[in-house]
Amino acid sequence: MQFQQLAYFVAVAETRHFTRAAEQARVAQPSLSQQVRALERDVGATLFHRIRGNVTLTEAGETLLPIARRILAETETAYRAIRELDELGRGRVRLGATPSLCTGLLPAMLAAFRRAYPGIELVLHESGSRDLQTELSEGALDLAMIVDSRVHDDPRLSSTPLFVEELVVISPKAARAPVRGRLAIGDLRDRPLVMFRRGYDLREATVNACRAEGFDPVFAIEGGEMDAVLELVQAGIGLAVVPSTVVGDRFRMTQFTEPGLSRVVRLAYRRDVEQPRAVRALQDGIVRFLHGEGGAGHLPPGTRSLVGA
């Protein structure tokens, strides 16, 4: 008794017609009839009454039909389970990312991954790079997209550089530009800034750049997360230094003069554990998204891919 023979038997039983069953099974009718006869020889009983084109089940056929359906269903379930494992039809990945990445690049990236692997559950945790590294090291995350890298301080962690992200100054679109052309770091002196909370990478980058030019920045307001900072700038409270990936069409963007300000975004992971296939799939998906066709990827202006560099 073969699997294909049972499939042909069920098709004939459901259509009550050998020709229609052959069309449904996408096989030549003589071949289907031959396989059904071979099944009848195997089970030692006639399964169909064949009278002038009228096909009905015999008692043996009635007995075999529910059994055959169950075998086919269980076999298909087994095939599907194996295919799902092989094709990553299920799984769970806990991804950490900084607020600026969650606001800017990450939504399109994760949407592309979901289209490719709709069965994989994604759990996103938004926090600063330092906190994300701690959670990754403790096993609370599978992957983390962080800014720059201090992962060499933890022997359990490693990271891969993804792209260089330009930092720019934003102001309300209706307002005039802070200066004509590009902005020097020194031009931020005495200009009120909307500043992120302590522990934010962008806060450290801005303050350190200003101090390197010999002054401390003036804060119009401080303590916000990314969404709050953007809204406060939009309200006209002050300027802000943000990644170019979060600017969009809402703000006026002014670049810094060369060499400018930038930061490296990295993908951090545990080096001391074997990653599940779903986690490896997301790692590969992030790289493919950034690299894209011909290396162009999906990065917006003001960023430069380091994938494959």
Side-chain angles (χ1 to χ4, degrees):
M1 185 184 300
Q2 299 177 8
F3 174 83
Q4 200 64 60
Q5 293 171 345
L6 290 176
Y8 291 161
F9 161 71
V10 171
V12 175
E14 291 178 345
T15 61
R16 301 299 172 104
H17 200 283
F18 276 83
T19 300
R20 285 197 291 269
E23 292 173 352
Q24 178 180 297
R26 297 183 179 180
V27 65
Q29 190 269 328
S31 178
L32 180 140
S33 296
Q34 183 179 1
Q35 290 297 316
V36 171
R37 291 192 190 96
L39 177 62
E40 289 177 323
R41 287 195 299 271
D42 288 343
V43 299
T46 301
L47 300 175
F48 294 104
H49 294 298
R50 302 169 176 85
I51 305 174
R52 295 180 182 179
N54 184 24
V55 179
T56 59
L57 286 166
T58 64
E59 184 177 356
E62 294 282 3
T63 302
L64 179 61
L65 182 59
I67 299 171
R69 283 173 170 161
R70 184 169 65 250
I71 292 172
L72 294 175
E74 291 177 352
T75 302
E76 177 59 28
T77 299
Y79 282 146
R80 185 182 298 115
I82 293 171
R83 285 198 301 268
E84 285 176 345
L85 288 173
D86 186 53
E87 299 170 4
L88 290 167
R90 57 188 177 188
R92 185 171 183 262
V93 185
R94 301 163 301 169
L95 174 66
T98 64
S100 60
L101 292 170
C102 291
T103 302
L105 189 64
L106 205 58
M109 182 184 295
L110 294 184
F113 181 78
R114 282 285 296 169
R115 287 192 294 270
Y117 302 105
I120 294 181
E121 178 187 357
L122 292 173
V123 180
L124 180 62
H125 180 69
E126 183 178 354
S127 192
S129 292
R130 291 181 179 178
D131 292 340
L132 292 175
Q133 289 179 60
T134 298
E135 294 178 51
L136 183 63
S137 180
E138 293 174 348
L141 296 174
D142 299 305
L143 299 170
M145 294 182 68
I146 61 174
V147 175
D148 295 318
S149 178
R150 297 182 182 87
V151 298
H152 60 269
D153 296 334
D154 191 328
R156 291 170 293 184
L157 302 184
S158 187
S159 69
T160 300
L162 296 177
F163 57 91
V164 178
E165 188 174 39
E166 182 183 13
L167 302 184
V168 298
V169 175
I170 58 170
S171 54
K173 203 163 189 178
R176 61 175 185 165
V179 294
R180 290 184 178 180
R182 290 177 177 257
L183 187 74
I185 300 295
D187 293 327
L188 294 179
R189 187 190 302 266
D190 299 326
R191 291 182 181 271
L193 299 180
V194 177
M195 185 52 63
F196 297 92
R197 63 170 172 80
R198 293 184 182 277
Y200 237 79
D201 303 285
L202 288 166
R203 180 188 180 110
E204 292 184 15
T206 304
V207 171
N208 291 340
C210 292
R211 287 176 176 170
E213 293 295 316
F215 68 96
D216 285 318
V218 175
F219 299 159
I221 190 170
E222 61 176 314
E225 301 282 349
M226 176 59 69
D227 290 342
V229 167
L230 295 178
E231 292 300 325
L232 292 168
V233 171
Q234 182 71 16
I237 293 178
L239 309 176
V241 177
V242 300
S244 60
T245 52
V246 306
V247 176
D249 298 327
R250 296 173 55 197
F251 301 96
R252 181 186 297 277
M253 183 180 80
T254 305
Q255 295 174 290
F256 285 106
T257 55
E258 296 295 340
L261 288 180
S262 64
R263 62 185 192 171
V264 176
V265 175
R266 295 175 174 268
L267 182 63
Y269 51 91
R270 291 278 297 270
R271 69 169 76 191
D272 60 339
V273 297
E274 179 69 22
Q275 298 286 12
R277 295 189 65 191
V279 175
R280 299 201 304 270
L282 181 56
Q283 286 178 292
D284 294 341
I286 290 172
V287 170
R288 287 196 303 271
F289 182 89
L290 296 176
H291 195 256
E293 294 297 327
H298 298 78
L299 290 173
T303 55
R304 176 171 55 87
S305 176
L306 296 176
V307 174

